[in-house]
Amino acid sequence: SAVISQKPSRDICQRGTSLTIQCQVDSQVTMMFWYRQQPGQSLTLIATANQGSEATYESGFVIDKFPISRPNLTFSTLTVSNMSPEDSSIYLCSVATAAVDYGYTFGSGTRLTVV
Amino acid sequence: DQQVKQNSPSLSVQEGRISILNCDYTNSMFDYFLWYKKYPAEGPTFLISISSIKDKNEDGRFTVFLNKSAKHLSLHIVPSQPGDSAVYFCAASHQGAQKLVFGQGTRLTINP
């Protein structure tokens, strides 16, 4: 299965600032997914990032708040903009593997705390 | 609307015994189900999956059962080992969507 390198692993940020999270995959993938896990909650899909096109956002998430870049088939970034304490979460990127039985592979996550 | 539900936030099992984690779903369009294990400070790790055309899938100590009429799936771990202590998430998807819908997770603790 694919190996994903995600960074930073954690950060503490001031409210009103922005943080960009990077995910690098060791193989070319068509779609990359960005998830959020709020404290004590389930993982929720933020958006799906396709190379060469605009990301597709889920209900409740907007591009101005979570802009995504997908410059090539192995890399994507998620920016959390104008942060507030409510944005404190774990953010994870994910890719679908070629063999369906292997499921989806996740990065190690970015633990964001906004103060 | 929580389409995938794990109603037990925690479960404690003695080492060597069977662990049974449960998951219910409401969307009849889901046709692929997965279980993930998550340790603190790590991303979820894929464990086992099952397609809706099957009712059972086994991989070593892990078996997933699917009851489509009840919209229920369960993960059996036998025998349970201390290293199985983690948070377990069930997830579901439907053909063409590719995205996953996750349950809230169940924290499994294996006691020696």
Side-chain angles (χ1 to χ4, degrees), chain B residues 34-54:
Chain B
L34 309 92
W35 284 94
Y36 283 84
K37 179 167 78 171
K38 187 179 184 301
Y39 293 119
E42 295 183 10
T45 303
F46 171 75
L47 265 180
I48 191 169
S49 64
I50 187 167
S51 163
S52 60
I53 62 173
K54 297 183 178 180

Side-chain angles (χ1 to χ4, degrees), chain B residues 15-72:
Chain B
E15 182 179 358
R17 299 290 186 101
I18 184 171
S19 296
I20 300 176
L21 297 101
N22 294 302
C23 180
D24 297 294
Y25 62 96
T26 58
N27 189 339
S28 57
M29 295 294 291
F30 289 144
D31 57 8
Y32 189 59
F33 305 89
L34 309 92
W35 284 94
Y36 283 84
K37 179 167 78 171
K38 187 179 184 301
Y39 293 119
E42 295 183 10
T45 303
F46 171 75
L47 265 180
I48 191 169
S49 64
I50 187 167
S51 163
S52 60
I53 62 173
K54 297 183 178 180
D55 54 19
K56 176 182 175 181
N57 190 26
E58 195 171 350
D59 184 2
R61 296 186 298 114
F62 303 92
T63 302
V64 57
F65 295 92
L66 175 63
N67 182 334
K68 290 185 289 294
S69 61
K71 294 190 176 67
H72 176 83

Side-chain angles (χ1 to χ4, degrees), chain A residues 56-98:
Chain A
T56 303
Y57 288 82
E58 297 299 306
S59 175
F61 298 97
V62 295
I63 187 171
D64 289 346
K65 177 67 175 176
F66 298 101
I68 287 171
S69 78
R70 185 78 202 277
N72 56 54
L73 291 173
T74 64
F75 187 78
S76 179
T77 67
L78 170 77
T79 299
V80 186
S81 303
N82 188 23
M83 288 184 286
S84 66
E86 292 70 34
D87 294 320
S88 297
S89 297
I90 299 173
Y91 293 85
L92 300 123
C93 62
S94 173
V95 301
T97 56

Side-chain angles (χ1 to χ4, degrees), chain A residues 10 31 33 35 37 40-45 48 58 90 92 96 100-109 111, chain B residues 2 32 34 36 38 40-46 48-49 54 57 89 93 97-105:
Chain A
R10 59 176 61 230
M31 287 193 279
F33 306 89
Y35 286 84
Q37 185 186 14
Q41 302 294 314
S42 170
L43 283 77
T44 301
L45 182 66
T48 302
E58 297 299 306
I90 299 173
L92 300 123
V100 70
D101 281 354
Y102 295 133
Y104 294 70
T105 301
F106 283 81
S108 54
R111 182 179 293 274
Chain B
Q2 189 73 28
Y32 189 59
L34 309 92
Y36 283 84
K38 187 179 184 301
E42 295 183 10
T45 303
F46 171 75
I48 191 169
S49 64
K54 297 183 178 180
N57 190 26
F89 290 95
S93 70
Q98 293 226 2
K99 65 182 185 182
L100 298 178
V101 179
F102 283 84
Q104 306 95 310

Side-chain angles (χ1 to χ4, degrees), chain A residues 4-16:
Chain A
I4 301 175
S5 174
Q6 183 175 344
K7 51 184 172 183
S9 59
R10 59 176 61 230
D11 207 341
I12 301 173
C13 300
Q14 296 290 324
R15 68 174 67 204

